[in-house]
Amino acid sequence: LAKTTQPISMDSYEGQEVNITCSHNNIATNDYITWYQQFPSQGPRFIIQGYKTKVTNEVASLFIPADRKSSTLSLPRVSLSDTAVYYCLVGDMAGGYNKLIFGAGTRLAVHP
Amino acid sequence: SQTIHQWPATLVQPVGSPLSLECTVEGTSNPNLYWYRQAAGRGLQLLFYSVGIGQISSEVPQNLSASRPQDRQFILSSKKLLLSDSGFYLCAWRGSGLGFNEKLFFGSGTQLSVL
């Protein structure tokens, strides 16, 4: 069973870079790592996904080391609107990658 | 483009009453479908998922059930609600392609209060 571990909460200030690390020691060879953002009373939305090394899009960057046992979501120059819960997600081999279990997520609070 | 519809947005039900939440997906075929529940201030708990019509995998033993009568329809039900069933219910879909990088797309959720 692939499990993820993230810090429960983080605090930052506007304009700073935020890095959230997720541990997934049992990640399968074929599995991707996907990050989601959730605002209160809304469903999570996709942020970024990667398999190895570095991925960057208009919202964030994702760093994945060679052993793929962890990943780091990097949010450049955060604003108040980035206050949300961030989840990393990997598949579950036992469920044929269809069984998608979220971890507890990281609650990010951005302060003025 | 694909869209997911989930209703109702909010629901207040007495203990012991039945429940039916419906979720439909448009613009795709043979999606994988999911029901998650989120208690206040907590993470997402996977309740059920389905890879095809009539195929339901249950993750948590409880008084809830799910059905998939049509390819793009996923229903969450209960015969008798408990106080502990209160929460934010989310339906989600992802493609059923062979790749392992299919993303999850969520509906807008149903806030259920059991009183």
Side-chain angles (χ1 to χ4, degrees), chain A residues 2 24-29 31-33 67-69 90 93:
Chain A
H24 28 78
N25 292 320
N26 297 321
I27 189 169
T29 301
D31 210 359
Y32 280 71
I33 301 149
D67 66 5
R68 302 196 338 112
K69 294 187 176 182
V90 298
M93 283 188 67

Side-chain angles (χ1 to χ4, degrees), chain B residues 12-24:
Chain B
V12 180
Q13 293 284 99
V15 171
S17 65
L19 173 73
S20 181
L21 301 180
E22 187 165 343
C23 172
T24 59

Side-chain angles (χ1 to χ4, degrees), chain B residues 18-109:
Chain B
L19 173 73
S20 181
L21 301 180
E22 187 165 343
C23 172
T24 59
V25 181
E26 295 179 357
T28 187
S29 58
N30 195 29
N32 290 344
L33 296 172
Y34 300 81
W35 279 111
Y36 289 89
R37 177 171 63 194
Q38 189 169 36
R42 307 295 294 274
L44 295 157
Q45 179 188 31
L46 177 63
L47 300 177
F48 302 94
Y49 67 96
S50 171
V51 300
I53 295 174
Q55 300 179 59
I56 309 294
S57 296
S58 175
E59 289 304 302
V60 184
Q62 58 212 342
N63 67 322
L64 299 174
S65 63
S67 62
R68 184 170 177 174
Q70 300 181 42
D71 181 43
R72 290 170 289 179
Q73 183 184 31
F74 206 21
I75 299 172
L76 182 69
S77 304
S78 174
K79 293 183 179 178
K80 290 186 177 181
L81 284 169
L82 306 173
L83 287 175
S84 58
D85 292 323
S86 294
F88 190 48
Y89 288 79
L90 287 157
C91 180
W93 76 273
R94 71 188 285 226
S96 59
L98 295 177
F100 300 106
N101 59 342
E102 297 287 342
K103 306 174 186 66
L104 267 178
F105 297 93
F106 284 83
S108 54

Side-chain angles (χ1 to χ4, degrees), chain A residues 17-38:
Chain A
E17 178 185 73
V18 171
N19 296 308
I20 305 174
T21 298
C22 177
S23 297
H24 28 78
N25 292 320
N26 297 321
I27 189 169
T29 301
N30 294 329
D31 210 359
Y32 280 71
I33 301 149
T34 312
W35 284 79
Y36 294 84
Q37 175 192 54
Q38 186 183 25

Side-chain angles (χ1 to χ4, degrees), chain A residues 7-109:
Chain A
I8 294 176
S9 63
M10 296 181 68
D11 288 274
S12 184
Y13 293 90
E14 286 188 290
Q16 289 189 336
E17 178 185 73
V18 171
N19 296 308
I20 305 174
T21 298
C22 177
S23 297
H24 28 78
N25 292 320
N26 297 321
I27 189 169
T29 301
N30 294 329
D31 210 359
Y32 280 71
I33 301 149
T34 312
W35 284 79
Y36 294 84
Q37 175 192 54
Q38 186 183 25
F39 297 113
S41 300
Q42 295 184 27
R45 71 183 185 104
F46 169 85
I47 300 177
I48 197 167
Q49 183 183 72
Y51 183 80
K52 61 181 180 180
T53 62
K54 177 184 176 182
V55 178
T56 297
N57 62 20
E58 65 279 4
V59 177
S61 294
L62 181 59
F63 299 92
I64 304 169
D67 66 5
R68 302 196 338 112
K69 294 187 176 182
S70 67
S71 58
T72 299
L73 174 72
S74 181
L75 304 172
R77 299 180 298 281
V78 294
S79 64
L80 296 177
S81 62
D82 292 317
T83 294
V85 179
Y86 293 83
Y87 298 93
C88 73
L89 182 67
V90 298
D92 179 350
M93 283 188 67
Y97 299 97
N98 293 313
K99 180 178 171 181
L100 300 176
I101 296 178
F102 284 80
T106 297
R107 193 170 299 271
L108 172 66

